[in-house]
Amino acid sequence: MSETLAAVTGNIGTIGYGLAAIGPGVGIGIIFGNGVQAIARQPEAAGLIRQNMLLGFAVIEALALIGFVAPFIYPK
Protein backbone atom coordinates (compact mmCIF):
# COMPACT_ATOMS: atom_id res chain seq x y z
CA MET A 1 0.00 0.00 0.00
CA SER A 2 2.76 2.46 0.88
CA GLU A 3 4.57 1.74 -2.41
CA THR A 4 1.51 2.82 -4.39
CA LEU A 5 1.10 5.96 -2.31
CA ALA A 6 4.76 6.84 -2.72
CA ALA A 7 4.46 6.48 -6.51
CA VAL A 8 1.53 8.89 -6.65
CA THR A 9 2.95 11.66 -4.44
CA GLY A 10 5.08 13.08 -7.27
CA ASN A 11 1.97 13.69 -9.38
CA ILE A 12 -0.41 15.07 -6.77
CA GLY A 13 -0.17 18.63 -8.18
CA THR A 14 -0.88 17.41 -11.68
CA ILE A 15 -3.85 15.35 -10.57
CA GLY A 16 -5.12 18.26 -8.47
CA TYR A 17 -4.97 20.68 -11.39
CA GLY A 18 -6.66 18.17 -13.66
CA LEU A 19 -9.53 17.90 -11.21
CA ALA A 20 -9.58 21.66 -10.65
CA ALA A 21 -9.93 22.28 -14.39
CA ILE A 22 -13.13 20.22 -14.67
CA GLY A 23 -15.32 22.70 -12.79
CA PRO A 24 -14.30 25.83 -14.69
CA GLY A 25 -14.53 23.93 -17.98
CA VAL A 26 -18.12 22.96 -17.29
CA GLY A 27 -18.92 26.45 -15.98
CA ILE A 28 -17.56 28.17 -19.08
CA GLY A 29 -19.57 25.84 -21.30
CA ILE A 30 -22.74 26.60 -19.39
CA ILE A 31 -22.14 30.38 -19.45
CA PHE A 32 -21.49 30.60 -23.18
CA GLY A 33 -24.19 28.09 -24.08
CA ASN A 34 -26.84 29.97 -22.14
CA GLY A 35 -25.49 33.30 -23.37
CA VAL A 36 -25.86 32.28 -27.01
CA GLN A 37 -29.40 31.07 -26.32
CA ALA A 38 -30.25 34.35 -24.59
CA ILE A 39 -28.89 36.41 -27.50
CA ALA A 40 -30.85 34.27 -29.96
CA ARG A 41 -34.06 34.82 -27.99
CA GLN A 42 -33.55 38.54 -27.40
CA PRO A 43 -31.12 40.05 -29.94
CA GLU A 44 -31.71 43.63 -28.81
CA ALA A 45 -30.08 42.85 -25.44
CA ALA A 46 -26.97 41.31 -27.03
CA GLY A 47 -24.60 43.96 -25.63
CA LEU A 48 -25.70 43.48 -22.03
CA ILE A 49 -25.79 39.70 -22.32
CA ARG A 50 -22.30 39.62 -23.88
CA GLN A 51 -20.97 41.87 -21.11
CA ASN A 52 -22.37 39.58 -18.43
CA MET A 53 -21.03 36.51 -20.25
CA LEU A 54 -17.50 37.92 -20.32
CA LEU A 55 -17.70 38.94 -16.65
CA GLY A 56 -18.78 35.42 -15.69
CA PHE A 57 -16.04 33.96 -17.88
CA ALA A 58 -13.40 36.07 -16.11
CA VAL A 59 -14.60 34.99 -12.66
CA ILE A 60 -14.65 31.30 -13.59
CA GLU A 61 -11.26 31.52 -15.31
CA ALA A 62 -9.86 32.95 -12.08
CA LEU A 63 -10.96 29.73 -10.35
CA ALA A 64 -8.98 27.72 -12.89
CA LEU A 65 -5.90 29.85 -12.26
CA ILE A 66 -6.26 29.41 -8.51
CA GLY A 67 -6.46 25.65 -9.08
CA PHE A 68 -3.26 25.86 -11.11
CA VAL A 69 -1.32 27.91 -8.53
CA ALA A 70 -2.51 26.17 -5.35
CA PRO A 71 -0.37 23.01 -5.75
CA PHE A 72 2.74 25.19 -6.06
CA ILE A 73 1.89 27.24 -2.96
CA TYR A 74 0.96 24.22 -0.84
CA PRO A 75 3.19 21.44 -2.22
CA LYS A 76 2.53 18.88 0.54
Side-chain angles (χ1 to χ4, degrees):
M1 179 71 181
S2 64
E3 293 174 7
T4 304
L5 188 60
V8 176
T9 56
N11 297 325
I12 293 291
T14 306
I15 293 169
Y17 179 62
L19 293 174
I22 293 172
V26 171
I28 289 170
I30 290 171
I31 284 177
F32 282 104
N34 288 337
V36 168
Q37 284 183 0
I39 290 173
R41 291 173 189 244
Q42 200 169 13
E44 64 273 4
L48 181 63
I49 294 168
R50 188 175 301 114
Q51 180 182 5
N52 287 334
M53 277 183 3
L54 292 176
L55 181 64
F57 170 75
V59 170
I60 289 180
E61 193 64 29
L63 291 175
L65 291 174
I66 289 170
F68 178 68
V69 173
F72 294 112
I73 294 174
Y74 307 109
K76 290 186 179 184

